[in-house]
Amino acid sequence: MDGENKRIGQLGEEIASNYLLKKGYQIIERNFRAKQYGEVDILAQHRDTLVFVEVKTRIGDEFGRPGEAITPGKLHELKKMVDFYYNQYPNTSLSPQIDVIAITLKSDEAIDSLEHFENITL
């Protein structure tokens, strides 16, 4: 990932974190990594649920809508991350959930749209 894409990704994660906080989520960790499976952008708690949030951010939709970037391979990776987390923290009593937050920015980096897809699959 080049520097500009990384910066836009980090901006999207910040926007998504603020959005979740306003909705009553508690951010547990950002960029939770497992060497063999990758990373989850945001790990949050909402009521009795542990939410693994993948954030996809794009400027405009020239390369497709950001939510379209969740491929079967990425979903498989996210499921492996859920399994990894619960193996690392076996006393976790929260139910797992995978969410996607898709953010489209205008050319000036103002928010054009934010879509929150909850519980995409497990």
Side-chain angles (χ1 to χ4, degrees):
M1 179 183 293
D2 69 23
E4 180 66 5
N5 287 343
K6 185 172 182 159
R7 187 184 67 75
I8 295 299
Q10 289 172 337
L11 176 60
E13 289 173 20
E14 192 64 34
I15 291 167
S17 293
N18 290 333
Y19 164 83
L20 291 170
L21 288 169
K22 287 177 186 168
K23 287 192 63 151
Y25 288 66
Q26 176 187 354
I27 305 298
I28 295 171
E29 189 169 342
R30 286 183 49 184
N31 305 115
F32 174 75
R33 297 183 200 288
K35 187 176 180 181
Q36 62 272 48
Y37 302 119
E39 80 173 29
V40 172
D41 295 321
I42 301 171
L43 192 55
Q45 181 176 344
H46 189 242
R47 299 185 185 105
D48 61 350
T49 304
L50 184 60
V51 187
F52 295 77
V53 183
E54 179 68 15
V55 180
K56 291 296 181 188
T57 309
R58 301 277 184 274
I59 294 182
D61 57 8
E62 180 180 349
F63 298 105
R65 305 285 303 154
E68 295 169 357
I70 302 298
T71 63
K74 182 60 179 178
L75 189 55
H76 180 73
E77 181 182 289
L78 289 167
K79 289 178 183 179
K80 290 286 191 188
M81 287 294 294
V82 171
D83 292 341
F84 174 81
Y85 186 89
Y86 280 85
N87 284 329
Q88 291 293 113
Y89 303 98
N91 295 327
T92 302
S93 61
L94 303 171
S95 301
Q97 176 175 307
I98 297 174
D99 287 9
V100 173
I101 294 181
I103 300 168
T104 304
L105 301 174
K106 298 177 185 175
S107 59
D108 65 358
E109 298 182 5
I111 300 169
D112 185 26
S113 69
L114 185 152
E115 297 175 283
H116 184 187
F117 303 99
E118 298 181 55
N119 202 18
I120 60 171
T121 188
L122 267 183

